[in-house]
Amino acid sequence: MRDKNRPLQAATVNDISGFGRCSLTVSLPVLSAMGVHLSCIPTAVLSTHTGGFQGYTFRDLTQDIRPFFEHWKKEGFEFDALYTGYLGSAEQIDLVSDFLTAFQTDTNITLVDPVMGDHGKLYSLYTPEMAKGMKRLCARADVIVPNMTEGAYLTGMEFKAHGHSEEYLSEMCQRLMSLGAKNVVITGVSPAPGLVGAACHDGKKMEIYAPERVNAQYDGTGDVFASVLLGALLHEKSLLSSVKLAADFTRECIARSLKNNVNPHHGVDFEMGLWQLGKTILDEGEI
């Protein structure tokens, strides 16, 4: 049982972009605002993220991943949650599997965001070997957070951009859990025109939360959603309550960004909502 007198501790493996709100530049401030001390293993350093920018610099840090977590292990560090994001090669996926072996316990949470693709297509550099490796990581997760594209590829189901029926979503959740994940949260769910949100399954039942869609698309929203979701789960909120908080916060960020004419490739303006997020998560009672 966690010592309530110490801060929540989480560790994440992800890349960092010097410009653009995504990956570590999202996870660090969001989880910090939610009262979580986040330790980071950077997989790569880029001048910008790769969406909508040309000529960006890229420094691969694959060879540093194992020394990072082996040092942590020697120091005796322990974490309440382990969080994996975008992984750029089969080697990185294997290294992250070893990282999980080193730090998973019976009481901490492992959240895997299987960042593989979007809009019905895998990312251009994603290989079949990497897809198999991602399935193995999902098998070790307490929670996985695929979008509709990733859910379709991980399960072998037909991708549908919208019109997601309960039957279709239930089958996808069941197939994802058959990989080994204990809880599933599928993002980008659109059960009816004008609605978008998420479907979640805790192994007992599926629930859907799909508020009115803000008519805009921004890079990095998946990282915002997953980070808020993990923060809420660490504060012992239910899966559905955590999904609602993550979806509502992400939606508010998109609406604020649209109102302020933020460039979609710059990511959403989440910073102005962090104080309210922290207040909400730390208030007593249900969200």
Side-chain angles (χ1 to χ4, degrees):
M1 190 170 182
R2 186 178 75 86
D3 180 1
K4 300 289 187 177
N5 294 319
R6 68 164 177 80
L8 287 161
Q9 306 264 0
T12 188
V13 186
N14 212 335
D15 61 74
I16 183 166
S17 297
F19 185 90
R21 302 174 178 101
C22 66
S23 55
L24 288 181
T25 58
V26 166
S27 299
L28 269 167
V30 167
L31 282 163
S32 295
M34 299 178 81
V36 180
H37 171 207
L38 186 64
S39 301
C40 305
I41 298 179
T43 59
V45 178
L46 300 87
S47 55
T48 69
H49 67 78
T50 59
F53 297 101
Q54 301 295 324
Y56 51 83
T57 66
F58 178 89
R59 176 77 65 176
D60 183 14
L61 299 178
T62 300
Q63 299 307 312
D64 294 299
I65 294 174
R66 186 178 298 279
F68 253 72
F69 73 74
E70 286 183 344
H71 180 213
W72 288 359
K73 195 67 178 178
K74 288 179 182 177
E75 292 291 337
F77 298 158
E78 297 179 348
F79 302 101
D80 301 296
L82 309 174
Y83 172 18
T84 74
Y86 177 73
L87 302 172
S89 67
E91 183 181 2
Q92 287 192 351
I93 294 172
D94 289 341
L95 286 166
V96 169
S97 181
D98 292 342
F99 163 72
L100 296 183
T101 298
F103 290 100
Q104 277 185 318
T105 69
D106 292 336
T107 58
N108 62 14
I109 299 170
T110 298
L111 186 148
V112 172
D113 185 358
V115 185
M116 302 169 61
D118 208 351
H119 306 299
K121 297 181 180 179
L122 292 179
Y123 295 130
S124 59
L125 298 180
Y126 222 85
T127 67
E129 183 184 5
M130 292 169 67
K132 290 179 181 178
M134 188 55 69
K135 286 185 178 182
R136 293 194 296 271
L137 280 190
C138 289
R140 305 185 60 179
D142 296 294
V143 186
I144 59 173
V145 194
N147 60 29
M148 290 302 307
T149 298
E150 293 149 357
Y153 272 93
L154 287 168
T155 61
M157 293 178 63
E158 176 191 0
F159 169 75
K160 296 181 179 180
H162 47 75
H164 305 131
S165 68
E166 286 194 26
E167 292 77 14
Y168 175 80
L169 293 170
S170 179
E171 182 177 357
M172 183 173 287
C173 285
Q174 294 289 346
R175 289 194 188 188
L176 287 167
M177 283 187 293
S178 73
L179 298 176
K182 299 179 180 67
N183 299 272
V184 171
V185 178
I186 305 172
T187 62
V189 168
S190 180
L195 303 180
V196 66
C200 61
H201 203 304
D202 62 0
K204 297 178 181 178
K205 64 178 179 179
M206 182 185 74
E207 296 177 283
I208 300 170
Y209 180 65
E212 184 178 353
R213 180 181 186 272
V214 179
N215 191 27
Q217 291 188 346
Y218 284 83
D219 292 330
T221 52
D223 297 311
V224 173
F225 181 97
S227 299
V228 176
L229 177 73
L230 179 59
L233 291 171
L234 280 169
H235 283 281
E236 301 180 356
K237 304 301 180 185
S238 70
L239 184 62
L240 181 59
S241 292
S242 301
V243 166
K244 287 181 176 179
L245 180 65
D248 287 344
F249 182 77
T250 305
R251 183 182 183 279
E252 289 164 7
C253 292
I254 295 171
R256 184 186 306 114
S257 302
L258 182 62
K259 178 181 178 181
N260 295 333
N261 297 313
V262 175
N263 185 320
H265 295 308
H266 293 184
V268 290
D269 176 5
F270 67 86
E271 294 90 348
M272 291 301 293
L274 289 179
W275 71 272
Q276 184 64 51
L277 177 64
K279 182 178 183 300
T280 299
I281 199 65
L282 296 175
D283 278 347
E284 293 185 358
E286 284 297 310
I287 296 172

